[in-house]
């Protein structure tokens, strides 16, 4: 008896040694943010070497600004993607909330905070509707949110014209309470004499909170599980439907934050604001290591994906290149990210099948 | 051995009365009745597609029965979701194991029942405790995991099955349901699982055990429910059925005799 146990222990020890050799690789590979971190470092190095404006404090403040509002959305979209869904209405939603802030504050003569609260209620309601429809019907979220996307796009234009007679809402700066809102959402913070947009702080905060929730809480575990295998998660007692609905409401909530920031900062909102951005959020999340099939990804990765995006967009401007190159770069990065992610999934899921 | 528990005249832990389940026009189960008593093992036997998994999915809250009644402690219950069955102390090892391949072992182990620490909005998943318990419970099954952070998808089929069983044993407070838990296991691990079933029974749990193997079913079973094409072919107590009879009934008696005759016939001329 004891000899067989020793024999099996010896076999196990040998197996362990073989696994230990690839242990480090596996540990690195299963970190979803690895690819976007490498990408961000390479792009930072490339543009910094080419352009001194890019590496100046003013340049940094600029590309961080581009990355910030995009990053807030990318992080929320990443959570939703890990949970196994897409939200095509996320882009136009930033426009809807910004327009709501403008119309309620300017046309309905309300305090700006009332307008911002109204936009939040509206956003959460649309998020709930998206999530409820997806969980109820079992249809792909792609098609459900394409529907809400088109509806919101129509409403944005139609209602803006109805309220203002034009396709733009102006004069948000004149609303009562504007200065406190500006302080919180659109002010700048001086670092080494260089003003940085406060949205950057919101971006970092959103990334930190999302990352903590994802990795350290029960809800985070449910997000991974629901995206990985919804039926299996339900069978072991995960409230999968509630998780999905909360994720859609989170995306809508992020759109509300971004919409409010842009309404307060620009003091006027175009009726077509935000349209087309939804794909860019998804690209940033994928660059950040999210699998399109759900169940895998990271909030920090998505934030880095947004950073890659911001740096590339501003870097190309600073180098005086044709802006068309931007899309080429973006597409190349997306392809690279998808190919890397595919390897990860193969390794983690199919290795022992 | 478990005769003492079996003789208790109290109400059964779980009772099925005329349970039926339709999927659209497919009648997967019809008129199934049996009991699961505390400290006893109820074996469910039957061919592929007989409806065994459908039956345990009714017990574990995955499917609502179309007909019939499910009684827990003599009270009619209607599980709307697996969560409700789990909260009633019914834990299940599903045939497909219900594991998330890309998720770490310890996250899978506690999925849906995560222990938490901390207060208010800072309440978090107690990962240290979760990893510790996962390692301990799997160790008790003879599975030595190298790293609880390993994704479940990288485990072997048998290891995966062991994790699912260890999870159900850990969370099953009153009833433990196992749907072909030994199908991917080696002789040693299958022995461990049978011993687990006996231990759970001795702790006073009710066990529902699904298997194709009469040599596994007969030694641990106290009741045998035989299913064929969604219908009950009988619900026997242990004394009413010998191992040979059980084997014969599982293979469909006459068919087995026919098969034996066919195989014994000389083939060469
Ligand atoms: N969700 C479903 N929709 C339609 N039919 C189903 C569904 N689930 C099961 N069935 C049908 O019910 C019957 C019984 O299936 P079940 O999985 O319970 O069999 P089983 O006894 O567990 O078989 P096995 O030994 O192969 O696991 C099958 O004919 C199957 O096709
Ligand atoms: Mg089955």
């Amino acid at each position: 008896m004891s000899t067989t146990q020793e024999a099996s222990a010896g076999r196990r020890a040998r197996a362990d040694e073989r696994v230990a050799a690839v242990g480090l690789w596996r540990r690195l590979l299963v970190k979803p943010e690895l690819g976007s971190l490498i990408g961000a470092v390479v792009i930072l190095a490339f543009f910094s070497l080419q352009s001194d404006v890019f590496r100046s404090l003013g340049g940094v403040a600029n590309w961080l600004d581009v990355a910030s509002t995009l990053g807030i959305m990318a992080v929320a979209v990443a959570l939703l993607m890990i949970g196994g869904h897409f939200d095509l209405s996320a882009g136009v939603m930033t426009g809807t909330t910004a327009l709501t802030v403008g119309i309620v504050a300017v046309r309905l003569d309300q305090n700006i905070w009332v307008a911002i609260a109204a936009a939040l209620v509206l956003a959460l309601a649309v998020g709930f509707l998206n999530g409820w429809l997806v969980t109820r019907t079992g249809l792909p979220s792609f098609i459900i949110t394409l529907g809400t996307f088109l509806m919101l796009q129509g409403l944005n234009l139609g209602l803006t014209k109805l309220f203002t007679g034009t396709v733009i809402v102006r004069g948000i700066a004149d609303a009562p309470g504007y200065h406190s809102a500006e302080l919180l959402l659109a002010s700048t913070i001086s670092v080494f004499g260089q003003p940085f947009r406060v949205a950057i702080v919101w971006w970092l905060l959103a990334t930190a909170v999302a990352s903590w929730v994802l990795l350290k809480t029960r809800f985070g575990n449910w997000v991974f599980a629901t995206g990985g295998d919804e039926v299996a998660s339900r069978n072991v007692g995960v409230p999968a439907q509630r998780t999905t609905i909360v994720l859609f409401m989170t995306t809508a909530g992020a759109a509300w934050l971004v919409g409010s920031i842009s309404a307060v900062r620009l003091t006027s909102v175009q009726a077509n604001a935000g349209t087309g951005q939804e794909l860019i959020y998804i690209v940033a999340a994928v660059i950040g290591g999210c699998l399109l099939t759900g169940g895998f990804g990271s909030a920090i990765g998505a934030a880095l994906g947004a950073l890659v995006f911001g740096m590339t967009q501003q870097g190309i401007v600073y180098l005086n290149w044709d802006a068309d190159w931007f899309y080429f770069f973006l597409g190349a990065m997306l392809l690279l990210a998808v190919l890397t992610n595919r390897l990860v999934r193969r390794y983690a899921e199919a290795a022992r099948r | 051995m478990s005769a003492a528990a079996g003789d208790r005249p109290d109400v059964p832990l779980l009772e099925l009365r005329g349970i039926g389940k339709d999927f659209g026009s497919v009648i997967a189960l019809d008129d199934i009745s049996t009991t699961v008593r505390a400290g006893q093992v109820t074996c469910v036997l039957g061919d592929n597609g007989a409806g065994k998994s459908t039956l345990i999915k009714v017990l574990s809250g995955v499917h609502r029965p179309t007909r019939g009644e499910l009684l827990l402690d003599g009270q009619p219950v209607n599980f709307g979701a697996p969560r409700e069955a789990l909260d009633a102390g019914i834990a299940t090892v599903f045939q497909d194991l219900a594991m998330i391949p890309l998720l770490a072992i310890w996250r899978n182990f506690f999925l849906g029942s995560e222990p938490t620490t901390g207060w208010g909005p800072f309440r978090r998943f107690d990962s240290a405790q979760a990893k510790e318990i996962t390692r301990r419970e799997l160790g008790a099954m003879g599975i030595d995991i190298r790293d609880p952070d390993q994704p479940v998808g990288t485990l072997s089929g048998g290891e995966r099955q062991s994790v699912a069983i260890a999870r159900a044993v850990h969370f099953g407070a009153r009833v433990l349901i196992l749907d072909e838990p030994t199908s991917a296991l080696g002789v040693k691990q299958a022995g461990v699982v049978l011993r687990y079933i006996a231990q759970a029974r001795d702790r006073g749990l009710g066990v529902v055990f699904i298997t194709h193997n009469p040599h596994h079913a007969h030694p641990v079973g106290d009741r045998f429910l035989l299913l064929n094409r969604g219908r009950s072919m009988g619900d026997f107590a242990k004394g009413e059925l010998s191992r040979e009879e059980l084997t014969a009934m599982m293979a469909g008696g006459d068919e087995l005799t026919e098969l034996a005759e066919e195989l014994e016939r000389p083939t060469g001329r």
Side-chain angles (χ1 to χ4, degrees):
Chain A
M1 185 64 201
S2 74
T3 44
T4 41
Q5 258 170 6
E6 269 161 33
S8 79
R11 204 165 52 238
R12 211 176 287 140
R14 266 201 303 284
D16 274 3
E17 274 154 28
R18 197 196 57 215
V19 166
V22 293
L24 182 68
W25 254 119
R26 201 195 63 225
R27 232 169 272 252
L28 280 178
L29 264 179
V30 297
K31 289 267 175 246
E33 52 278 90
L34 182 73
S36 57
L37 182 63
I38 294 173
V41 170
V42 169
I43 285 165
L44 178 68
F46 175 77
F47 283 114
S48 299
L49 289 174
Q50 303 276 319
S51 149
D52 14 310
V53 196
F54 185 87
R55 60 175 184 261
S56 71
L57 263 185
V60 173
N62 250 328
W63 48 258
L64 280 182
D65 179 31
V66 175
S68 65
T69 45
L70 177 66
I72 294 170
M73 289 309 293
V75 164
V77 165
L79 292 195
L80 184 67
M81 275 181 77
I82 296 170
H85 293 285
F86 295 98
D87 187 353
L88 292 184
S89 68
V92 78
M93 196 60 184
T94 62
T96 304
T97 47
L99 288 166
T100 307
V101 170
I103 288 173
V104 173
V106 178
R107 309 307 300 186
L108 305 181
D109 288 322
Q110 297 296 319
N111 186 295
I112 189 130
W113 288 109
V114 174
I116 288 174
L120 176 62
V121 171
L122 181 74
L124 293 180
V126 175
F128 179 85
L129 183 74
N130 275 336
W132 186 78
L133 283 174
V134 166
T135 54
R136 260 310 151 104
T137 60
L139 288 169
S141 48
F142 211 79
I143 209 73
I144 299 265
T145 57
L146 181 61
T148 41
F149 161 58
L150 293 172
M151 283 164 64
L152 286 177
Q153 195 181 11
L155 279 177
N156 282 3
L157 278 161
L159 288 181
T160 307
K161 279 187 192 159
L162 199 70
F163 275 102
T164 66
T166 62
V167 288
I168 188 164
V169 185
R170 295 177 204 276
I172 296 172
D174 302 329
Y178 178 78
H179 287 290
S180 57
E182 189 190 24
L183 188 71
L184 214 60
L185 298 173
S187 58
T188 57
I189 297 168
S190 192
V191 181
F192 301 121
Q194 167 67 42
F196 282 82
R197 287 284 177 181
V198 73
I200 298 168
V201 176
W202 287 110
W203 171 39
L204 296 178
L205 206 65
T207 310
V209 170
S211 208
W212 184 79
V213 167
L214 207 49
L215 297 175
K216 299 288 178 193
T217 69
R218 303 184 71 178
F219 182 77
N221 213 31
W222 297 346
V223 172
F224 280 113
T226 309
D229 186 338
E230 194 187 332
V231 175
S233 344
R234 242 198 333 260
N235 285 355
V236 294
V238 172
Q241 300 205 344
R242 185 148 48 94
T243 304
T244 302
I245 291 176
V246 169
L247 285 174
F248 273 104
M249 290 174 77
T250 306
T251 312
W256 162 78
L257 179 58
V258 170
S260 303
I261 287 173
S262 78
V264 171
R265 180 159 150 191
L266 304 172
T267 71
S268 68
V269 186
Q270 300 272 354
N272 65 354
T275 311
Q277 295 285 303
E278 58 283 338
L279 290 181
I280 295 180
Y281 307 148
I282 293 174
V283 170
V286 171
I287 290 176
C290 288
L291 289 181
L292 290 159
T293 43
F296 192 77
S298 112
I300 293 178
L304 287 170
L307 187 65
V308 163
F309 203 100
M311 288 194 297
T312 313
Q313 191 176 337
Q314 286 302 301
I316 283 173
V317 172
Y318 291 145
L319 290 184
N320 290 321
W321 289 0
D322 197 314
D324 297 338
W325 285 105
F326 172 63
Y327 285 100
F328 174 81
F329 265 103
L330 204 68
M333 258 170 327
L334 178 66
L335 270 185
L336 204 67
V338 171
L339 292 178
T340 323
N341 293 354
R342 185 168 145 271
L343 284 182
V344 174
R345 189 187 177 96
R346 272 227 191 130
Y347 183 82
E349 199 179 29
R352 297 297 297 267
R353 279 280 155 92
Chain B
M1 39 172 188
S2 61
D7 285 344
R8 275 186 309 190
D10 51 7
V11 280
L13 211 50
L14 265 182
E15 185 174 354
L16 289 76
R17 285 191 192 154
I19 291 283
K21 174 72 194 171
D22 300 349
F23 295 106
S25 61
V26 179
I27 302 169
L29 280 180
D30 198 29
D31 197 22
I32 308 293
S33 303
T34 190
T35 54
V36 181
R37 286 178 185 275
Q40 289 201 358
V41 179
T42 300
C43 290
V44 182
L45 308 153
D47 280 338
N48 295 121
K52 305 182 295 297
S53 297
T54 307
L55 182 69
I56 66 101
K57 281 181 181 162
V58 168
L59 299 184
S60 57
V62 176
H63 294 322
R64 272 179 204 271
T66 316
R67 294 172 293 280
E69 250 191 327
L70 186 61
L71 292 94
L72 180 71
D73 297 320
Q75 300 298 316
V77 283
N78 195 354
F79 296 134
R83 177 81 263 162
E84 292 169 28
L86 278 163
D87 290 342
I90 301 174
T92 307
V93 180
F94 292 95
Q95 194 167 10
D96 65 7
L97 303 181
M99 301 261 225
I100 317 295
L102 286 169
L103 217 50
I105 299 171
W106 62 278
R107 286 180 175 273
N108 261 294
F109 195 97
F110 283 95
L111 186 56
S113 312
E114 296 86 352
T116 54
T117 77
W119 178 85
F122 300 105
R123 212 154 61 95
R124 59 189 190 277
F125 188 177
D126 189 350
S127 57
Q129 196 197 345
K131 284 180 196 178
E132 175 53 37
I133 294 175
T134 305
R135 191 184 283 281
R136 176 152 41 85
E137 295 282 335
L138 287 176
M141 273 201 80
I143 302 290
D144 182 18
I145 49 166
R146 296 170 282 267
D147 176 8
D149 271 315
Q150 197 175 343
V152 156
T154 63
L155 295 174
S156 77
E159 285 173 324
R160 262 204 299 272
Q161 211 161 40
S162 301
V163 175
I165 294 166
R167 173 172 73 181
V169 168
H170 184 75
F171 289 107
R174 307 195 63 203
V175 179
L176 184 61
I177 301 174
L178 305 111
D179 192 351
E180 296 187 32
T182 52
S183 61
L185 296 187
V187 177
K188 183 171 156 228
Q189 261 75 18
V192 173
V193 170
L194 291 176
R195 222 166 281 140
Y196 261 51
I197 291 174
Q199 278 170 15
R201 172 197 69 199
D202 295 342
R203 282 207 312 270
L205 269 72
V207 180
V208 179
F209 179 33
I210 297 178
T211 178
H212 281 293
N213 190 337
H215 302 290
H216 285 167
H218 197 262
V220 290
D222 296 294
R223 283 206 87 72
F224 301 93
L225 172 66
L226 278 92
L227 296 185
N228 186 27
R229 312 182 95 217
R231 283 168 206 278
S232 173
M233 297 204 306
D235 181 21
F236 304 97
K238 187 175 193 121
E240 299 169 2
L241 214 59
S242 73
R243 184 187 300 222
E244 288 65 36
E245 283 171 317
L246 185 67
T247 314
M249 288 196 75
M250 278 184 71
D254 298 341
E255 280 169 44
L256 191 68
T257 326
E258 251 171 58
L259 182 68
E261 276 170 15
E262 189 183 319
L263 293 176
E264 278 163 10
R265 214 177 293 145
T267 47
R269 277 177 188 252

